[in-house]
């Protein structure tokens, strides 16, 4: 069974640029959630996708957007990057969008905005 | 909004000791809680979870206790090992959020010396 994978591992961008981060969910999981983790903080929920539809969104501006594909992999897109967007971006997959389904996290993508 | 916090940012123990990591939550309506372990450079790793209809749940070397009266959660690690050194987060399901978003606290860094 393959775990959650994310790419790239690290990324450096400049302010105003756009970035796309990718996530492959664990085998058999149809739900992907994205989190932002600033240095020294706990992860913060960005949004969740269930069967290719957005299924909940945290307190993040519209320049944070996402997609989920038929194979349940997912992308996180961030437009007009700001310095404060520098963080570890985590995706987590779960079996279904059920409250007690365990969310399994990938290793994250470290984004640095200069 | 509601938040989950931890009592101590750091905890240092000797190898073989028992460790107790505490967490206070503020949403009395929360019905599901999870503990995650995050090692440096990795994503959070699921340790154990508990539903609000339970007071205690045991896993391998770990026990989670839930006190709904005072809205307190704790993680007990028996016979702590150097490999247990990591940041520990408690998280609660955000029942006010569509989907299955998790709210994380800031984390407790556990350091185990041999």
């Amino acid at each position: 069974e393959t775990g959650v994978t994310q790419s790239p591992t690290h990324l450096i961008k400049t302010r105003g640029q756009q970035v796309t981060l990718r996530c492959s969910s664990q085998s058999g999981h149809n739900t992907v959630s994205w989190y932002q983790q600033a240095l020294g903080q706990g992860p913060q929920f960005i949004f969740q996708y269930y069967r290719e539809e957005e299924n909940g969104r945290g307190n993040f501006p519209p320049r944070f957007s996402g997609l989920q594909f038929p194979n349940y992999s997912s992308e996180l897109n961030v437009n007009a990057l700001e310095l404060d967007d520098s963080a570890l971006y985590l995706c987590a997959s779960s079996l279904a969008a059920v409250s007690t389904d365990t969310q399994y996290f990938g290793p994250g993508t470290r984004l640095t905005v200069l | 909004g509601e938040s989950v916090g931890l009592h101590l940012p750091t905890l240092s123990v000797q190898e073989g000791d028992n460790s107790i990591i505490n967490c206070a939550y503020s949403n009395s309506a929360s019905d599901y809680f999870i503990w995650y372990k995050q090692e440096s450079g990795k994503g959070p790793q699921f340790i154990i979870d508990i539903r609000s209809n339970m007071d205690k749940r045991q896993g391998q070397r770990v026990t989670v206790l839930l006190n709904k009266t005072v809205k307190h959660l704790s993680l007990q690690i028996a016979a702590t090992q150097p490999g247990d050194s990591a940041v520990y987060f408690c998280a609660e399901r955000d029942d006010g959020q569509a989907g299955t978003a998790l709210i994380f606290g800031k984390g407790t860094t556990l350091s185990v010396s041999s």
Side-chain angles (χ1 to χ4, degrees), chain B residues 1-71:
Chain B
E2 303 295 347
S3 64
V4 175
L6 293 174
H7 291 300
L8 291 174
T10 61
L11 178 64
S12 296
V13 301
Q14 292 284 324
E15 182 178 2
D17 286 352
N18 295 331
S19 301
I20 299 176
I21 301 172
N22 295 304
C23 174
Y25 64 94
S26 55
N27 185 358
S28 56
S30 294
D31 61 357
Y32 178 61
F33 304 88
I34 314 100
W35 281 98
Y36 283 94
K37 170 188 179 184
Q38 187 173 25
E39 297 174 281
S40 181
K42 298 184 179 180
Q45 175 188 356
F46 172 86
I47 302 173
I48 192 167
D49 58 3
I50 189 167
R51 299 189 189 194
S52 60
N53 61 355
M54 303 171 70
D55 297 323
K56 179 180 178 178
R57 191 168 187 213
Q58 289 184 288
Q60 187 176 16
R61 278 201 310 120
V62 295
T63 300
V64 56
L65 299 177
L66 176 62
N67 185 331
K68 295 180 287 294
T69 302
V70 295
K71 292 186 287 187

Side-chain angles (χ1 to χ4, degrees), chain B residues 71-87:
Chain B
K71 292 186 287 187
H72 183 267
L73 193 69
S74 68
L75 176 70
Q76 300 178 359
I77 305 173
T80 313
Q81 302 168 359
D84 295 326
S85 294
V87 180

